[in-house]
Amino acid sequence: MNRFQRATIPLALLALVVVGVAGALWLRSHDSGSTVHMTPKTPGPGLPATVPVAPPRPGPAAAVQRVADTRLAALGKAGPLIGLADNRPETLSDPRFRATGIKRVRVAVPYDDVALGGERMAVQDRWFAAARAEGVEPVVTFFRSSRGPEILPTPAEFRQAFRLFRARYPWVRIFSTWNEANFTAQPTSRDPLRTAAFYRIARQECSGARCFVLACDFRPDGTRRSARWLDTFQEAIGPGPHTWGLSSYVDVDHRSTRLTRDFLRRTRGRVWVNEVGAVNFFGKGLPPDINRQTRVMAFLLSRYPRVSRRIQRIYVYHWRAARGDDLFDSGLLDLDGRPRPAYYEFVLAIGQPVP
């Protein structure tokens, strides 16, 4: 889910690099557990008619869990809430992560993991068990199936998968319809109307304040195709009010706000930057550069949040570099768990003492 060239390379060339490696990158950086790659046996084209689902966890499904605010020290209550985007359960129990005080974590989940069951669901169980034990408020964003990147569910299949997910984790209350829904690595990129139907379904399932749904996580990339996708999606979902998710890598890793400002002009409503990070390396096109990562992190936590008060949350991706992932890395810690300079930028920005 990530993309970039050096700041001196035009965005058009950047887009070509991104598309070229998108498929492999998504399978690595968004596989739940990051370094754990569980692939179930491939079923038929649709979801199974019946799936064994464990009984819901104890406790009221709609219980509201209050979590402490973590904000940028320089902006205080005028600035956005700060969270982490990360798929690894061990992150949540890391003493250094606990010391940040962050209790908001965004996790990306294949939309049909619970519906499929098996080992993939076990991976999710570990993450959500850790989140609940640590008092973390998850933001769950759905994305493409582990069965194949081309699979776009029908509205009925999406509704079934959403219900099964909520039955298994009834305490989870915040969702985004689809991650980077306009990005070509996602099957939703070819059908904004279908994506709008998913959003309406999720809102129906969450009616009565049972849960809260973001329209989608949009990836502003400056292309005409993405602009058309957004226009079609907006027309289909109606005037709102809506809360949007945003994936702002292309802007931030060029230390720019141009694409974000364009998105803000085209939309109305609150915005959560559900995933953004300071990239250390991206494939062969962006070699490792800790100094660049540090400069980008400083920009992300200082200038970028000032672009608009509509930006209410920023989730920084991710905690620790994943061993075996040679395609993408924006970890605050290196492979051996040692803090990088970007980690210190992050900790100081949220007003925590450096360990």
Side-chain angles (χ1 to χ4, degrees):
M1 65 178 304
N2 328 55
R3 35 304 268 168
F4 342 88
Q5 287 283 5
R6 296 186 183 277
T8 56
I9 299 177
L11 286 178
L13 180 57
L14 170 67
L16 293 176
V17 174
V18 170
V19 171
V21 300
L25 172 60
W26 269 87
L27 288 175
R28 296 227 184 167
S29 67
H30 281 81
D31 192 24
S32 298
S34 187
T35 57
V36 180
H37 304 291
M38 305 283 193
T39 304
K41 294 180 180 179
T42 304
L47 295 178
T50 59
V51 179
V53 178
R57 302 292 187 266
V64 177
Q65 179 174 294
R66 304 291 297 180
V67 297
D69 289 350
T70 303
R71 298 180 186 269
L72 297 172
L75 298 179
K77 291 186 177 180
L81 295 167
I82 301 298
L84 188 74
D86 195 278
N87 285 12
R88 301 171 73 175
E90 61 268 26
T91 294
L92 304 181
S93 58
D94 186 323
R96 289 164 297 188
F97 172 70
R98 288 172 171 170
T100 66
I102 289 174
K103 292 295 184 180
R104 293 177 171 88
V105 181
R106 180 265 203 174
V107 60
V109 178
Y111 79 92
D112 55 354
D113 265 9
V114 172
L116 293 174
E119 292 178 329
R120 288 284 322 185
M121 189 170 67
V123 172
Q124 303 303 341
D125 281 347
R126 289 198 294 273
W127 194 94
F128 286 103
R132 198 169 195 191
E134 296 295 332
V136 163
E137 172 198 84
V139 175
V140 174
T141 184
F142 296 111
F143 72 107
R144 67 188 191 183
S145 174
S146 59
R147 293 176 292 154
E150 76 290 346
I151 297 172
L152 182 65
T154 67
E157 289 168 344
F158 182 84
R159 187 186 297 274
Q160 178 195 13
F162 189 77
R163 285 179 173 176
L164 289 170
F165 186 96
R166 292 205 64 238
R168 190 163 190 84
Y169 313 113
W171 59 279
V172 176
R173 293 174 50 83
I174 307 177
F175 300 92
S176 180
T177 304
W178 205 280
N179 181 53
E180 294 195 337
N182 61 302
F183 186 34
T184 53
Q186 293 296 323
T188 48
S189 67
R190 63 180 184 264
D191 200 336
L193 294 177
R194 180 80 61 89
T195 313
F198 297 162
Y199 174 50
R200 291 193 298 269
I201 287 168
R203 292 189 72 174
Q204 290 168 5
E205 295 295 320
C206 286
S207 62
R210 290 193 294 267
C211 45
F212 176 73
V213 185
L214 282 72
C216 68
D217 291 354
F218 183 81
R219 176 184 179 271
D221 57 15
T223 65
R224 292 182 180 179
R225 185 198 60 78
S226 287
R228 290 193 298 269
W229 191 100
L230 181 61
D231 289 343
T232 302
F233 180 81
Q234 283 199 97
E235 184 177 356
I237 65 175
H242 306 293
T243 300
W244 296 87
L246 208 61
S247 181
S248 303
Y249 285 102
V250 177
D251 244 1
V252 167
D253 279 84
H254 284 80
R255 288 183 283 171
S256 168
T257 61
R258 181 178 65 86
L259 297 175
T260 301
R261 286 185 280 109
D262 180 68
F263 173 81
L264 293 169
R265 284 193 297 269
R266 292 172 175 271
T267 59
R268 296 289 182 271
R270 299 177 297 176
V271 176
W272 295 8
V273 179
N274 266 1
E275 185 180 336
V276 66
V279 173
N280 173 37
F281 69 77
F282 175 56
K284 296 181 179 179
L286 194 64
D289 190 333
I290 292 297
N291 290 331
R292 182 190 59 243
Q293 181 190 30
T294 307
R295 292 192 298 270
V296 170
M297 182 61 73
F299 172 85
L300 169 60
L301 299 174
S302 58
R303 290 177 55 195
Y304 184 77
R306 301 174 190 271
V307 69
S308 172
R309 289 199 173 188
R310 286 173 57 193
I311 296 178
Q312 297 194 340
R313 299 191 181 196
I314 297 177
Y315 291 83
V316 176
Y317 185 84
H318 55 123
W319 187 245
R320 181 173 175 172
R323 197 167 299 280
D325 189 346
D326 57 357
L327 285 172
F328 177 78
D329 170 28
S330 65
L332 297 173
L333 310 181
D334 67 15
L335 289 172
D336 296 320
R338 292 186 296 260
R340 290 170 168 167
Y343 165 85
Y344 296 108
E345 291 280 352
F346 181 74
V347 170
L348 290 171
I350 60 176
Q352 297 297 326
V354 174

